[in-house]
Amino acid sequence: ILVTPLDVIKTRLQAQGNPFNKGKCFVYNNGLMDHIRVCENGDGKAWYKKPGHFKGTMDAFVKIIQGEGIKSLWSGLPPTLVMALPTTVIYFSCYDQLSEALKSRLGKEDERIPILAGSLSRCIAVTVASPLELIRTRMQYRRVSYKQLYVCVSSKVATDGWVSLWRGWTSTILRDVPFSAMYWYNYERLKRTMCKEAGVHEPTFLIAFTSGTVSGSIAAAVTLPFDVVKTHMQTELWESKTIKDPQRDGKSTWAVMRKVVAKNGITGLFAGMVPRLCRVAPACAIMISTYEYGKSLFSHVNEKINQVS
Protein backbone atom coordinates (compact mmCIF):
# COMPACT_ATOMS: atom_id res chain seq x y z
CA ILE A 1 0.00 0.00 0.00
CA LEU A 2 2.81 2.42 0.86
CA VAL A 3 5.17 1.78 -2.06
CA THR A 4 2.66 1.40 -4.92
CA PRO A 5 2.61 5.17 -5.71
CA LEU A 6 6.39 5.09 -6.40
CA ASP A 7 5.98 2.86 -9.42
CA VAL A 8 2.80 4.52 -10.67
CA ILE A 9 4.71 7.82 -10.73
CA LYS A 10 7.78 6.20 -12.34
CA THR A 11 5.62 4.69 -15.10
CA ARG A 12 3.88 8.00 -15.78
CA LEU A 13 7.23 9.79 -16.01
CA GLN A 14 8.54 7.11 -18.41
CA ALA A 15 5.43 7.35 -20.60
CA GLN A 16 5.79 11.14 -20.73
CA GLY A 17 9.41 11.02 -21.92
CA ASN A 18 9.02 7.98 -24.19
CA PRO A 19 5.36 7.48 -25.23
CA PHE A 20 4.22 3.87 -25.33
CA ASN A 21 3.28 2.59 -28.80
CA LYS A 22 0.58 0.02 -29.52
CA GLY A 23 1.77 -3.53 -28.92
CA LYS A 24 4.73 -2.47 -26.80
CA CYS A 25 4.91 -3.59 -23.19
CA PHE A 26 6.19 -2.18 -19.95
CA VAL A 27 6.66 -3.68 -16.51
CA TYR A 28 4.77 -2.15 -13.63
CA ASN A 29 5.59 -3.22 -10.08
CA ASN A 30 3.54 -2.06 -7.12
CA GLY A 31 5.94 -3.29 -4.46
CA LEU A 32 4.69 -6.87 -4.29
CA MET A 33 4.92 -8.25 -7.82
CA ASP A 34 5.41 -7.41 -11.50
CA HIS A 35 2.57 -6.58 -13.86
CA ILE A 36 2.99 -6.55 -17.64
CA ARG A 37 0.96 -3.87 -19.36
CA VAL A 38 0.31 -4.09 -23.10
CA CYS A 39 -0.04 -0.65 -24.63
CA GLU A 40 -3.16 0.12 -26.65
CA ASN A 41 -4.40 2.67 -29.13
CA GLY A 42 -7.04 5.10 -27.98
CA ASP A 43 -7.67 8.50 -26.52
CA GLY A 44 -5.41 8.12 -23.50
CA LYS A 45 -8.01 6.83 -21.04
CA ALA A 46 -5.64 4.19 -19.63
CA TRP A 47 -4.08 5.40 -16.39
CA TYR A 48 -0.52 5.18 -17.77
CA LYS A 49 -1.45 7.24 -20.89
CA LYS A 50 -3.16 10.11 -19.13
CA PRO A 51 -1.63 13.45 -20.16
CA GLY A 52 0.65 15.26 -17.78
CA HIS A 53 3.62 17.60 -17.86
CA PHE A 54 5.70 16.50 -14.89
CA LYS A 55 9.05 18.02 -13.97
CA GLY A 56 9.99 15.29 -11.52
CA THR A 57 8.79 12.82 -8.90
CA MET A 58 7.37 15.32 -6.40
CA ASP A 59 5.81 17.42 -9.15
CA ALA A 60 4.11 14.30 -10.57
CA PHE A 61 2.95 13.25 -7.09
CA VAL A 62 1.26 16.60 -6.45
CA LYS A 63 -0.24 17.02 -9.96
CA ILE A 64 -1.66 13.48 -10.12
CA ILE A 65 -3.43 13.96 -6.77
CA GLN A 66 -4.75 17.39 -7.80
CA GLY A 67 -5.86 16.37 -11.29
CA GLU A 68 -6.93 12.72 -10.94
CA GLY A 69 -7.52 12.14 -7.25
CA ILE A 70 -5.44 10.27 -4.72
CA LYS A 71 -6.89 6.84 -5.72
CA SER A 72 -5.01 6.91 -9.03
CA LEU A 73 -1.71 6.44 -7.14
CA TRP A 74 -2.82 2.87 -6.30
CA SER A 75 -3.68 1.71 -9.83
CA GLY A 76 -3.64 -2.09 -10.15
CA LEU A 77 -3.22 -2.91 -6.45
CA PRO A 78 -6.39 -4.99 -5.72
CA PRO A 79 -5.65 -7.93 -8.10
CA THR A 80 -2.10 -8.07 -6.76
CA LEU A 81 -3.26 -8.48 -3.16
CA VAL A 82 -5.45 -11.45 -4.12
CA MET A 83 -2.37 -13.41 -5.20
CA ALA A 84 0.32 -11.83 -3.02
CA LEU A 85 -1.34 -12.54 0.32
CA PRO A 86 -1.42 -16.37 0.05
CA THR A 87 2.05 -16.39 -1.54
CA THR A 88 3.48 -14.34 1.33
CA VAL A 89 1.79 -16.59 3.90
CA ILE A 90 3.43 -19.66 2.31
CA TYR A 91 6.82 -17.93 2.10
CA PHE A 92 7.06 -16.73 5.70
CA SER A 93 5.43 -19.82 7.21
CA CYS A 94 7.85 -22.10 5.35
CA TYR A 95 10.81 -19.95 6.42
CA ASP A 96 9.87 -20.17 10.10
CA GLN A 97 9.18 -23.92 10.00
CA LEU A 98 12.36 -24.72 8.04
CA SER A 99 14.45 -22.51 10.35
CA GLU A 100 13.20 -24.35 13.43
CA ALA A 101 13.80 -27.74 11.80
CA LEU A 102 17.34 -26.78 10.76
CA LYS A 103 18.16 -25.35 14.20
CA SER A 104 17.43 -28.71 15.80
CA ARG A 105 19.82 -30.40 13.35
CA LEU A 106 22.59 -27.82 12.83
CA GLY A 107 22.45 -25.78 16.05
CA LYS A 108 20.84 -22.42 16.73
CA GLU A 109 23.90 -20.31 15.79
CA ASP A 110 24.69 -22.00 12.46
CA GLU A 111 24.95 -19.27 9.80
CA ARG A 112 23.81 -21.61 7.02
CA ILE A 113 20.29 -21.77 8.43
CA PRO A 114 18.91 -18.46 7.00
CA ILE A 115 20.50 -19.23 3.60
CA LEU A 116 18.99 -22.72 3.38
CA ALA A 117 15.62 -21.78 4.88
CA GLY A 118 15.33 -18.62 2.75
CA SER A 119 16.21 -20.44 -0.49
CA LEU A 120 13.93 -23.43 0.11
CA SER A 121 10.96 -21.34 1.26
CA ARG A 122 11.25 -19.12 -1.81
CA CYS A 123 11.44 -22.18 -4.08
CA ILE A 124 8.26 -23.55 -2.53
CA ALA A 125 6.42 -20.21 -2.77
CA VAL A 126 7.45 -19.64 -6.42
CA THR A 127 6.53 -23.20 -7.42
CA VAL A 128 3.08 -22.97 -5.81
CA ALA A 129 2.44 -19.50 -7.27
CA SER A 130 3.63 -20.16 -10.85
CA PRO A 131 0.30 -21.51 -12.20
CA LEU A 132 -1.51 -18.62 -10.49
CA GLU A 133 0.96 -16.23 -12.10
CA LEU A 134 0.20 -17.73 -15.52
CA ILE A 135 -3.54 -17.29 -14.97
CA ARG A 136 -3.03 -13.72 -13.73
CA THR A 137 -0.93 -12.73 -16.76
CA ARG A 138 -3.43 -14.36 -19.13
CA MET A 139 -6.23 -12.30 -17.60
CA GLN A 140 -4.11 -9.16 -17.86
CA TYR A 141 -3.27 -9.87 -21.49
CA ARG A 142 -6.88 -10.16 -22.62
CA ARG A 143 -10.15 -9.67 -20.78
CA VAL A 144 -11.69 -13.14 -20.59
CA SER A 145 -14.37 -14.84 -18.54
CA TYR A 146 -13.44 -17.62 -16.11
CA LYS A 147 -14.99 -20.16 -18.51
CA GLN A 148 -12.83 -18.88 -21.38
CA LEU A 149 -9.79 -18.89 -19.09
CA TYR A 150 -10.49 -22.51 -18.11
CA VAL A 151 -10.75 -23.53 -21.79
CA CYS A 152 -7.51 -21.65 -22.58
CA VAL A 153 -5.54 -23.24 -19.72
CA SER A 154 -7.01 -26.70 -20.41
CA SER A 155 -6.04 -26.57 -24.09
CA LYS A 156 -2.52 -25.47 -23.18
CA VAL A 157 -2.15 -28.35 -20.72
CA ALA A 158 -3.51 -30.79 -23.32
CA THR A 159 -1.03 -29.53 -25.92
CA ASP A 160 2.14 -28.93 -23.87
CA GLY A 161 1.48 -30.90 -20.68
CA TRP A 162 1.22 -29.80 -17.04
CA VAL A 163 4.78 -28.48 -17.13
CA SER A 164 3.56 -25.59 -19.31
CA LEU A 165 1.85 -24.09 -16.25
CA TRP A 166 5.30 -23.42 -14.79
CA ARG A 167 6.67 -21.47 -17.77
CA GLY A 168 9.03 -18.73 -16.58
CA TRP A 169 9.78 -20.64 -13.37
CA THR A 170 13.54 -20.79 -14.09
CA SER A 171 14.03 -17.04 -14.58
CA THR A 172 11.95 -16.32 -11.47
CA ILE A 173 13.98 -18.80 -9.40
CA LEU A 174 17.28 -17.36 -10.65
CA ARG A 175 16.19 -13.94 -9.38
CA ASP A 176 14.22 -14.78 -6.24
CA VAL A 177 16.23 -17.61 -4.64
CA PRO A 178 19.58 -15.72 -4.49
CA PHE A 179 17.64 -12.67 -3.31
CA SER A 180 16.03 -14.64 -0.46
CA ALA A 181 19.30 -16.35 0.51
CA MET A 182 21.19 -13.03 0.75
CA TYR A 183 18.27 -11.20 2.30
CA TRP A 184 17.70 -13.63 5.18
CA TYR A 185 21.43 -14.17 5.82
CA ASN A 186 22.13 -10.43 6.13
CA TYR A 187 18.88 -9.79 7.98
CA GLU A 188 19.53 -12.41 10.68
CA ARG A 189 23.12 -11.25 11.17
CA LEU A 190 22.19 -7.56 11.39
CA LYS A 191 19.25 -8.30 13.69
CA ARG A 192 21.41 -10.37 16.03
CA THR A 193 24.16 -7.73 16.12
CA MET A 194 21.75 -4.84 16.75
CA CYS A 195 19.85 -6.76 19.45
CA LYS A 196 23.15 -7.51 21.19
CA GLU A 197 24.22 -3.86 21.12
CA ALA A 198 20.80 -2.67 22.32
CA GLY A 199 20.72 -5.30 25.07
CA VAL A 200 17.40 -6.83 24.05
CA HIS A 201 16.40 -10.45 23.40
CA GLU A 202 13.73 -9.74 20.78
CA PRO A 203 14.07 -7.26 17.88
CA THR A 204 12.22 -3.98 18.29
CA PHE A 205 10.26 -2.50 15.39
CA LEU A 206 13.17 -0.13 14.63
CA ILE A 207 15.78 -2.92 14.68
CA ALA A 208 13.71 -5.07 12.31
CA PHE A 209 12.97 -2.09 10.04
CA THR A 210 16.66 -1.08 9.79
CA SER A 211 17.86 -4.65 9.26
CA GLY A 212 15.20 -5.18 6.59
CA THR A 213 16.15 -2.00 4.74
CA VAL A 214 19.88 -2.78 4.63
CA SER A 215 19.52 -6.48 3.76
CA GLY A 216 16.84 -5.76 1.15
CA SER A 217 19.03 -3.12 -0.52
CA ILE A 218 22.04 -5.46 -0.71
CA ALA A 219 20.00 -8.35 -2.13
CA ALA A 220 18.21 -6.09 -4.64
CA ALA A 221 21.49 -4.64 -5.95
CA VAL A 222 23.24 -8.01 -6.35
CA THR A 223 20.30 -9.77 -8.06
CA LEU A 224 19.40 -6.86 -10.36
CA PRO A 225 20.85 -8.56 -13.53
CA PHE A 226 18.37 -11.43 -13.18
CA ASP A 227 15.54 -8.94 -12.65
CA VAL A 228 16.54 -7.16 -15.87
CA VAL A 229 16.62 -10.48 -17.75
CA LYS A 230 13.19 -11.52 -16.37
CA THR A 231 11.76 -8.15 -17.45
CA HIS A 232 13.15 -8.60 -20.99
CA MET A 233 11.77 -12.14 -21.22
CA GLN A 234 8.32 -11.08 -20.01
CA THR A 235 8.02 -8.07 -22.32
CA GLU A 236 9.38 -9.93 -25.36
CA LEU A 237 6.96 -12.83 -24.77
CA TRP A 238 4.02 -10.47 -24.59
CA GLU A 239 5.14 -8.42 -27.58
CA SER A 240 5.52 -11.61 -29.64
CA LYS A 241 1.83 -12.33 -28.97
CA THR A 242 0.70 -8.75 -29.48
CA ILE A 243 2.60 -7.78 -32.64
CA LYS A 244 2.91 -11.36 -33.96
CA ASP A 245 6.70 -11.58 -34.03
CA PRO A 246 7.61 -15.26 -33.48
CA GLN A 247 11.35 -14.49 -33.50
CA ARG A 248 10.99 -12.96 -30.05
CA ASP A 249 9.63 -16.16 -28.53
CA GLY A 250 11.50 -19.04 -26.89
CA LYS A 251 14.77 -17.46 -25.75
CA SER A 252 16.58 -18.86 -22.72
CA THR A 253 17.64 -16.81 -19.69
CA TRP A 254 21.32 -16.91 -20.72
CA ALA A 255 20.53 -15.98 -24.33
CA VAL A 256 18.65 -12.89 -23.17
CA MET A 257 21.52 -12.00 -20.81
CA ARG A 258 24.05 -12.21 -23.67
CA LYS A 259 21.77 -10.07 -25.84
CA VAL A 260 21.53 -7.36 -23.17
CA VAL A 261 25.32 -7.33 -22.66
CA ALA A 262 25.97 -7.21 -26.43
CA LYS A 263 23.58 -4.27 -26.86
CA ASN A 264 24.25 -2.17 -23.75
CA GLY A 265 27.41 -3.59 -22.19
CA ILE A 266 27.68 -5.04 -18.70
CA THR A 267 26.04 -1.90 -17.26
CA GLY A 268 22.85 -2.87 -19.13
CA LEU A 269 22.36 -5.69 -16.62
CA PHE A 270 22.17 -3.10 -13.83
CA ALA A 271 19.66 -0.77 -15.51
CA GLY A 272 17.03 0.66 -13.16
CA MET A 273 19.13 0.30 -9.99
CA VAL A 274 17.76 3.43 -8.28
CA PRO A 275 14.01 2.76 -8.82
CA ARG A 276 14.47 -0.90 -7.81
CA LEU A 277 16.21 0.11 -4.56
CA CYS A 278 13.61 2.83 -3.89
CA ARG A 279 10.88 0.21 -4.19
CA VAL A 280 12.42 -2.96 -2.74
CA ALA A 281 14.21 -1.48 0.31
CA PRO A 282 11.12 0.08 1.95
CA ALA A 283 8.95 -2.88 0.89
CA CYS A 284 11.32 -5.34 2.61
CA ALA A 285 11.63 -3.11 5.67
CA ILE A 286 7.86 -2.67 6.08
CA MET A 287 7.12 -6.35 5.53
CA ILE A 288 9.72 -7.79 7.91
CA SER A 289 9.19 -5.22 10.69
CA THR A 290 5.41 -5.69 10.74
CA TYR A 291 5.93 -9.47 10.56
CA GLU A 292 8.35 -9.47 13.52
CA TYR A 293 6.08 -7.16 15.49
CA GLY A 294 3.08 -9.39 14.72
CA LYS A 295 4.94 -12.51 15.85
CA SER A 296 5.99 -10.85 19.10
CA LEU A 297 2.48 -9.52 19.74
CA PHE A 298 0.74 -12.86 19.20
CA SER A 299 3.41 -14.68 21.19
CA HIS A 300 2.67 -12.48 24.22
CA VAL A 301 -1.09 -12.87 23.70
CA ASN A 302 -0.72 -16.67 23.61
CA GLU A 303 1.35 -16.60 26.81
CA LYS A 304 -1.36 -14.61 28.61
CA ILE A 305 -4.08 -17.00 27.36
CA ASN A 306 -2.08 -20.00 28.57
CA GLN A 307 -1.54 -18.40 31.98
CA VAL A 308 -5.25 -17.69 32.37
CA SER A 309 -6.27 -21.18 31.27
Side-chain angles (χ1 to χ4, degrees):
I1 290 172
L2 291 176
V3 297
T4 296
L6 293 174
D7 221 67
V8 171
I9 289 170
K10 186 195 77 170
T11 302
R12 293 288 295 275
L13 288 169
Q14 285 177 333
Q16 176 183 258
N18 184 23
F20 299 132
N21 299 318
K22 183 185 179 184
K24 290 292 181 181
C25 303
F26 67 92
V27 175
Y28 158 68
N29 186 299
N30 51 27
L32 287 172
M33 61 181 62
D34 295 334
H35 291 269
I36 297 290
R37 300 286 183 180
V38 180
C39 303
E40 334 157 325
N41 273 345
D43 54 5
K45 288 183 179 178
W47 65 266
Y48 56 84
K49 295 181 76 176
K50 288 181 180 177
H53 301 285
F54 310 125
K55 297 176 183 176
T57 301
M58 284 306 300
D59 186 53
F61 185 80
V62 173
K63 286 182 178 177
I64 288 172
I65 291 175
Q66 289 177 341
E68 303 167 30
I70 196 165
K71 285 184 179 180
S72 61
L73 291 174
W74 281 270
S75 301
L77 182 61
T80 299
L81 292 176
V82 172
M83 181 175 160
L85 288 174
T87 304
T88 305
V89 168
I90 293 168
Y91 179 42
F92 278 92
S93 299
C94 286
Y95 178 79
D96 268 348
Q97 295 299 317
L98 287 167
S99 292
E100 290 302 317
L102 289 168
K103 282 176 184 177
S104 64
R105 289 177 175 269
L106 303 175
K108 290 186 177 181
E109 301 300 321
D110 197 305
E111 293 190 343
R112 293 172 294 175
I113 290 172
I115 297 174
L116 293 170
S119 299
L120 287 171
S121 58
R122 177 51 69 183
C123 274
I124 293 168
V126 169
T127 302
V128 171
S130 280
L132 297 174
E133 177 78 9
L134 175 70
I135 291 169
R136 185 177 67 90
T137 51
R138 292 263 178 194
M139 293 186 77
Q140 280 184 309
Y141 175 62
R142 189 182 293 116
R143 290 184 180 276
V144 293
S145 66
Y146 286 105
K147 185 177 180 180
Q148 290 172 319
L149 181 67
Y150 174 77
V151 171
C152 176
V153 173
S154 299
S155 61
K156 187 169 181 63
V157 170
T159 305
D160 302 325
W162 287 98
V163 178
S164 61
L165 294 179
W166 280 267
R167 184 174 185 176
W169 181 86
T170 304
S171 60
T172 306
I173 286 291
L174 284 172
R175 180 191 65 175
D176 289 1
V177 169
F179 181 97
S180 293
M182 282 183 281
Y183 173 77
W184 285 109
Y185 175 77
N186 288 317
Y187 173 75
E188 295 290 359
R189 286 200 59 161
L190 284 167
K191 181 178 76 172
R192 192 161 53 244
T193 302
M194 292 179 74
C195 283
K196 192 175 180 180
E197 290 185 1
V200 294
H201 295 292
E202 291 183 354
T204 62
F205 188 88
L206 183 60
I207 288 174
F209 191 92
T210 305
S211 301
T213 302
V214 175
S215 55
S217 298
I218 294 169
V222 175
T223 59
L224 182 58
F226 292 110
D227 188 56
V228 170
V229 169
K230 186 172 185 288
T231 299
H232 275 269
M233 291 181 74
Q234 284 180 316
T235 53
E236 287 187 358
L237 174 64
W238 279 56
E239 286 177 8
S240 70
K241 293 179 179 179
T242 308
I243 60 181
K244 309 299 181 186
D245 183 4
Q247 293 181 351
R248 291 175 177 266
D249 206 358
K251 290 185 178 178
S252 70
T253 300
W254 304 112
V256 173
M257 189 172 283
R258 287 195 298 270
K259 179 183 172 183
V260 171
V261 172
K263 186 177 180 180
N264 302 315
I266 198 72
T267 55
L269 293 174
F270 293 89
M273 175 75 81
V274 173
R276 179 162 162 80
L277 289 177
C278 287
R279 185 179 69 238
V280 171
C284 287
I286 292 165
M287 187 175 285
I288 196 64
S289 53
T290 51
Y291 178 69
E292 291 281 14
Y293 181 80
K295 277 206 304 183
S296 177
L297 176 66
F298 285 114
S299 176
H300 291 136
V301 169
N302 287 338
E303 284 178 9
K304 288 180 180 179
I305 291 172
N306 291 332
Q307 287 173 0
V308 170
S309 60

